[in-house]
Amino acid sequence: ADLAEPSKLLEDAIVATKAEEHRNALQLATDAGTKADQVLTDFATSRLSGLRSALPHLGDEEGTLKALINRADSALASRDFEGGFKAVDEGRTFVETRIRSQAEEIVGDLGIAIQMGLDSGVNIAALEPIHRELNGLLAGGRVGEIVAGRQKAVAALEKRLAEIEAALPPRPPAEAR
């Protein structure tokens, strides 16, 4: 949050106080507080907007994030900026952890599919570059790109899984098992 303007107003209030312009000093100090509140509220609101946009992607775990968002909203409404920012930070950490887990799962599932393809003799050449790319993104901490690009991996994975299933020997009828 850019608090340069409120800071300047506060400095002006100090100068006014030293010049014994108390009424002006009080007005400047009040303006500094009002402006600081607005800057912090706007900053927190933008962070909360980002958290809200993550809700649809969390599935069953969205309740935890909703609770953190509600806690932040309540804190900000009562001008408890410390509590609001703490809840926002907890929400951001929660989302980052879930995104990383999803990315690791995507890369892991693709790796398993590749191994299954190799084991069953299916040509998995199309999956290997995707897996290398996703592994690179994961190693580089760019997990959001993995989750965002999931469709590319899923489409390739589904195609290869169908080929793997076709290469497997037919299952015996249920009576024979």
Side-chain angles (χ1 to χ4, degrees):
D2 182 12
L3 295 171
E5 186 179 344
S7 179
K8 174 73 171 110
L9 287 170
L10 201 51
E11 288 173 13
D12 292 346
I14 292 169
V15 169
T17 301
K18 289 180 181 178
E20 295 190 23
E21 298 173 5
H22 303 294
R23 191 171 300 222
N24 187 30
L26 233 111
Q27 184 60 50
L28 289 168
T30 301
D31 292 349
T34 301
K35 187 65 178 171
D37 284 355
Q38 187 59 50
V39 168
L40 292 173
T41 299
D42 291 349
F43 184 75
T45 300
S46 71
R47 296 294 189 245
L48 283 170
S49 175
L51 293 178
R52 283 187 177 91
S53 69
L55 283 170
H57 307 287
L58 293 176
D60 295 340
E61 298 180 280
E62 79 174 24
T64 302
L65 183 58
K66 277 184 182 177
L68 291 169
I69 290 171
N70 289 338
R71 187 166 30 134
D73 281 336
S74 295
L76 293 173
S78 64
R79 296 182 55 189
D80 174 12
F81 293 109
E82 184 177 342
F85 282 115
K86 182 179 178 189
V88 166
D89 283 342
E90 287 176 27
R92 186 181 45 77
T93 300
F94 177 78
V95 170
E96 287 172 357
T97 301
R98 293 313 171 268
I99 289 173
R100 180 153 193 84
S101 294
Q102 287 178 354
E104 289 170 347
E105 185 177 320
I106 291 166
V107 173
D109 288 351
L110 189 55
I112 290 169
I114 289 172
Q115 187 59 51
M116 288 172 60
L118 290 172
D119 292 347
S120 60
V122 173
N123 179 2
I124 46 87
L127 290 177
E128 290 175 329
I130 295 171
H131 190 248
R132 276 193 301 275
E133 177 187 351
L134 295 180
N135 258 329
L137 291 173
L138 187 60
R142 296 166 48 195
V143 295
E145 292 177 49
I146 295 170
V147 174
R150 172 192 324 220
Q151 286 310 104
K152 177 182 173 183
V154 168
L157 183 58
E158 287 175 347
K159 180 179 178 188
R160 296 304 172 219
L161 284 175
E163 291 174 7
I164 291 168
E165 287 177 357
L168 294 174
R171 296 179 79 184
E175 308 86 51
R177 285 189 236 164

